[in-house]
Amino acid sequence: MNAPGPVTISQAMAVAIGHHQAGRLAEAEAIYRQVLAVAPNHPDALHFLGVLAAQMGRHDLAVQMIRQSLALAPDNAAALSNYGEACRKQGQLDEAIGAYRRAIRLMPGTAAIQSNLGNALAERGAIDDSVAACREAIRLDPNFAEAWSNLGNALREKGALDEAIAACRRATELKPGYAEAHGNLGNALRDAGLLDAAISTHRRALSLKPRDPILLNNLAVALNERGLKSGHPALQADGRVFSTGGDPSATVDARREAVRRHPDSADAHVNLGNALLIAELPGGADAFRRAIELDPTHASAHANLAAALRKLGLFEEALAHGERAAASDPRCPIIQNTLGSILSELGQTKEAEAAFRKALELRPDYASAKNNLSATLDVLGQLDEAIATYRELLRLKPDYAEAWSNLGNALKDEGQLDEALACYRRAIELKPGDITAHSNLVYVAQFHPHYGCAALAGERARWARQHATFNETITPHANSPDPRRRLRVGYVSPDFRDHVIGRNLLPLFANHDRGEFEIICYSGTAPGDAFTDRFRSLADGWRSTLGVPDADLAATIRADGVDILVDLTQHMAGNRLAMFARRPAPVQISFAGYPDGTGLEAIGYRISDRHLDAGAPSSPAEKVFRIDSFWCYDPCGADVEINELPALANGTPPTFGCLNNFCKITDGMLALWARVLTQVEGSRLMILSPVGRHRARILELLMRAGVAAHRVEWVTSRPRKEYLEWYRRLDVVLDTFPYNGHTTTLDALWMGVPVVSLAGETPVSRAGLSILGNLGVPEWVAHSHDEFVRIAVGLANDLPALARWRATLRERMEASVLMDAPRFARNIEAAFRGAWEAWCATAESTMPRV
């Protein structure tokens, strides 16, 4: 028998390709490398070794090997296509798209290359081009399941959900075992709001590929969304997440036992995660973590975990996962939008702006990112661009209720109250259940000069009818009706932080009688600051309410046995009024956000003071406790000394000023200020305002009234110490109307600057009357326009008297009720005790007799 002859390179390549096609990758790799040892520039060996590297997840090596092959054989269409796929997996989308297009020119009838091009174009954000490429692939091969699946993905990104669902279904019909197509169909169903169908479809996908991290991630997203809609009972407290819901299934119990027996087994932990998902127990975030354990570079899992953590208020951890997601997939607009939202919550506003702009660069028609960018620009004081961006968004998507509400916020900040209220009404019309937009309307109506007490009460009543009516039965409270026992008081607020509400509350918390009252804070504050730490140290219990549905928060408060629940927000941002409507505590009281009520019958009491209330109650059931002062001022360590009166020190005419929120400055108030300035020769006016076109409108109004433009100075928001230092340049402060200054008036008086205020009918228009009356200077309060002008001009024309006031106002404040923290606390505690005694009397009268 003759010995076999030497094997040629062609024969070796044929053997290697046979191994490769049969899945014997190690054998194939060994032969490819033997060929390259003999012929280092063999293009096919380089190409197939690159393909093998891609199959093993080494896309960086695949790009390198196939690039070398193409340098030797640039017209190899198959190599160009595989090179494009390796580049796409590496995130090199422009390179991938170019490779696919070169391959198509060489092999124009290949459906697979067209389909891959569609994938890359979709990831690049060129959705219309992606749809066209996928449709061309289907034209070339109508039974190509992958092309139908890719078309479904592109249509989903475009928002054409019915077409997307149909395309993905066609892919699963053509290839029933195609797990990724089932996953894509599940995503489209989820986006269409068909969550039960989506979850079922994702489970089908996972049954085909049980350990696939992307498919596990998809199921987790759908379960998380359904959990949020149904109100899965999860609450973060004391840094831990715990559940108050149903018992785990037998499968979950078995998986937990496996983890206890094999704590180092990754499979045991993965199986537990799967069981939690299948049992529909709270665990969306855990599922994302499982997916990350399976694939640490899985961008979507990191991004979705970041979004879930953000909803729980765990912003630092959320940011870490958001940044890892962006590093893994820097060209995904959804990830950039998620990252921007987290940065915004952390107060890193400029960084958030950059992330939102990046998202829009990747997908210019991305509505959520455009809405978020606009809101960020508003926070940054860039009102003109914020408003223009909102309007551009609403031209593209006129039914976007949240954008209408946010546009209203920006217009409010610009002082355009009529336009702001119209925007809120449009948002409510589009989405009647939008509590935030409706609360915005109720709150901002107080700034409008045409809303009196009756009109405001009507707006609050409409809010209550729309959002505070439930079919569920309110069960009787089990609290012991002992009128003299120690009471458990729950405070609910998003503002346990360096905020006007937080600063007003600290004196109360620091002086509460702990023998009589136990304090629990239900905090929507995130991220916290030094004030948050102080509040937490002064509380007996602390619960984070971030991400907790109203029904579950109400159940937790009831389980905590709270006797008196205090709303500290009213209709301001972050309120939990819909939770209060469920009556989790026997006595519910409103206080501190602003001096007016909520309109909810479930909140039976409001704390005010003897100066503030002159009109109709907030609701027919509301009772008002009138304490000595609604405010208790604490400078909170702001170390700014009082200076000499500027007009005397500089030898200049007096400087008037208003450092209130600009939205409080109405046209009628400007006309009144102009009358003051024209009667005090050479006087100047300092106004706090964001930069924008509204300044020109204000100047025009003042100039028409006889005030030259050079007499007006604009300043923008600054940190508290710098803000207080502006009062060192003012001689007299002119208050706003109908929404008076509250904390700003106290700040001015602390800095020795008299405030001239105009009192009206609504509580917010009588804040100046309250503060100045409690300071013992009611003569600075006007009850008519003419009286306002007379008081302001009289003060400005008597510089020696102004100098004496400047030297003595701080001392007068310190000696007044405005800074008597123990008295403030005793007043509020007396109100709490009175409300509790009234409930006890009612409870005892309805108790069955034995």
Side-chain angles (χ1 to χ4, degrees), residues 23 190 194 237 240 243 253 285 345 362 386 423 537 547 567 739 745 789 808 849:
R190 186 194 76 221
L194 304 171
R240 293 172 289 112
S243 299
D253 286 341
E345 296 277 10
L362 295 165
C423 287
S537 72
D567 162 49
Y739 202 120
T745 295
V789 174
T808 58
R849 300 297 178 187

Side-chain angles (χ1 to χ4, degrees), residues 299-372:
S300 294
H302 280 293
N304 290 327
L305 177 56
L309 292 168
R310 173 185 167 234
K311 287 177 181 176
L312 289 171
L314 303 174
F315 294 111
E316 296 291 348
E317 188 180 352
L319 179 60
H321 285 283
E323 288 175 338
R324 288 187 65 182
S328 296
D329 189 355
R331 302 199 62 79
C332 176
I334 296 172
I335 290 174
Q336 291 294 335
N337 190 42
T338 299
L339 179 60
S341 298
I342 296 165
L343 288 164
S344 181
E345 296 277 10
L346 284 167
Q348 299 180 34
T349 315
K350 292 300 293 182
E351 293 84 353
E353 178 191 3
F356 294 135
R357 291 194 188 279
K358 178 67 172 177
L360 289 167
E361 176 189 322
L362 295 165
R363 189 193 300 173
D365 62 348
Y366 191 0
S368 177
K370 195 176 287 287
N371 181 51
N372 289 337

Side-chain angles (χ1 to χ4, degrees), residues 259-603:
V259 168
R260 281 193 290 271
R261 293 184 180 184
H262 307 285
D264 297 327
S265 167
D267 284 344
H269 287 283
V270 169
N271 289 338
L272 173 59
N274 287 335
L276 286 165
L277 290 174
I278 292 166
E280 299 182 26
L281 293 170
D286 288 338
F288 296 131
R289 289 190 171 97
R290 301 303 179 197
I292 290 167
E293 289 173 6
L294 290 166
D295 181 357
T297 63
H298 190 303
S300 294
H302 280 293
N304 290 327
L305 177 56
L309 292 168
R310 173 185 167 234
K311 287 177 181 176
L312 289 171
L314 303 174
F315 294 111
E316 296 291 348
E317 188 180 352
L319 179 60
H321 285 283
E323 288 175 338
R324 288 187 65 182
S328 296
D329 189 355
R331 302 199 62 79
C332 176
I334 296 172
I335 290 174
Q336 291 294 335
N337 190 42
T338 299
L339 179 60
S341 298
I342 296 165
L343 288 164
S344 181
E345 296 277 10
L346 284 167
Q348 299 180 34
T349 315
K350 292 300 293 182
E351 293 84 353
E353 178 191 3
F356 294 135
R357 291 194 188 279
K358 178 67 172 177
L360 289 167
E361 176 189 322
L362 295 165
R363 189 193 300 173
D365 62 348
Y366 191 0
S368 177
K370 195 176 287 287
N371 181 51
N372 289 337
L373 173 62
S374 304
T376 302
L377 292 169
D378 188 358
V379 172
L380 289 169
Q382 300 172 32
L383 288 185
D384 289 351
E385 188 180 357
I387 290 169
T389 308
Y390 279 130
R391 294 198 187 281
E392 177 187 337
L393 169 58
L394 289 166
R395 282 193 293 271
L396 297 171
K397 194 173 181 180
D399 59 349
Y400 196 169
E402 184 182 352
W404 278 108
S405 182
N406 288 341
L407 173 59
N409 291 340
L411 290 166
K412 180 262 293 181
D413 291 341
E414 195 186 53
Q416 300 287 344
L417 298 182
D418 287 320
E419 293 85 345
L421 293 171
C423 287
Y424 299 139
R425 290 194 173 94
R426 179 60 178 148
I428 296 164
E429 179 185 335
L430 289 167
K431 191 177 177 182
D434 190 336
I435 288 181
T436 299
H438 207 161
S439 275
N440 287 344
L441 188 153
V442 173
Y443 177 56
V444 172
Q446 296 178 108
F447 296 82
H448 199 289
H450 296 159
Y451 276 81
C453 285
L456 291 172
E459 293 290 3
R460 290 190 287 262
R462 279 186 282 278
W463 190 99
R465 286 195 298 272
Q466 180 66 31
H467 307 292
T469 303
F470 306 100
N471 293 326
E472 59 205 62
T473 302
I474 305 297
T475 58
H477 297 92
N479 306 58
S480 169
D482 178 352
R484 301 315 308 162
R485 68 175 174 82
R486 186 182 189 222
L487 298 179
R488 181 170 292 176
V489 178
Y491 289 99
V492 183
S493 177
D495 297 315
F496 293 119
R497 58 191 173 95
D498 188 4
H499 181 274
V500 290
I501 293 173
R503 291 196 295 272
N504 193 52
L505 288 172
L506 266 181
L508 168 64
F509 274 62
N511 288 275
H512 253 314
D513 184 341
R514 296 318 167 93
E516 292 288 324
F517 298 92
E518 177 187 357
I519 305 304
I520 301 178
C521 291
Y522 297 92
S523 171
T525 305
D529 56 21
F531 279 74
T532 309
D533 295 339
R534 177 68 173 145
F535 275 113
R536 192 162 187 158
S537 72
L538 292 170
D540 298 292
W542 188 272
R543 304 279 187 271
S544 173
T545 64
L546 290 162
V548 184
D550 289 324
D552 298 317
L553 178 56
T556 298
I557 291 170
R558 185 181 281 263
D560 284 343
V562 170
D563 301 307
I564 296 174
L565 192 66
V566 187
D567 162 49
L568 299 172
T569 314
Q570 291 85 45
H571 285 279
M572 294 171 70
N575 74 71
R576 300 305 298 258
L577 294 178
M579 182 277 297
F580 275 87
R582 290 173 163 83
R583 301 178 190 263
V587 175
Q588 301 192 146
I589 297 176
S590 177
F591 174 61
Y594 50 85
D596 214 331
T598 62
L600 270 70
E601 290 196 6
I603 300 180

Side-chain angles (χ1 to χ4, degrees), residues 592-677:
Y594 50 85
D596 214 331
T598 62
L600 270 70
E601 290 196 6
I603 300 180
Y605 296 93
R606 173 165 60 89
I607 294 178
S608 184
D609 73 32
R610 59 193 176 92
H611 298 284
L612 287 169
D613 281 275
S618 177
S619 75
E622 183 182 80
K623 298 178 180 64
V624 180
F625 284 104
R626 292 177 175 84
I627 62 176
D628 294 327
S629 172
F630 186 84
W631 293 276
C632 186
Y633 185 72
D634 186 337
C636 296
D639 186 19
V640 181
E641 293 299 320
I642 293 173
N643 62 329
E644 187 180 350
L645 187 73
L648 286 177
N650 302 325
T652 58
T655 299
F656 296 98
C658 177
L659 302 183
N660 269 292
N661 190 322
F662 183 77
C663 69
K664 297 181 180 181
I665 301 176
T666 61
D667 287 359
M669 207 64 211
L670 282 164
L672 197 56
W673 292 355
R675 288 177 58 189
V676 173
L677 268 74

Side-chain angles (χ1 to χ4, degrees), residues 1 43 193 230 237 240 338 370 380 390 404 419 497 513 515 524 533 653 688 694 726 729 740 746 748 762 779 820:
M1 178 178 288
S230 63
R240 293 172 289 112
T338 299
K370 195 176 287 287
L380 289 169
Y390 279 130
W404 278 108
E419 293 85 345
R497 58 191 173 95
D513 184 341
D533 295 339
L688 176 69
H694 57 280
W726 277 329
R729 297 174 53 197
N740 292 168
L746 292 161
T762 61
E779 63 269 24
D820 190 341

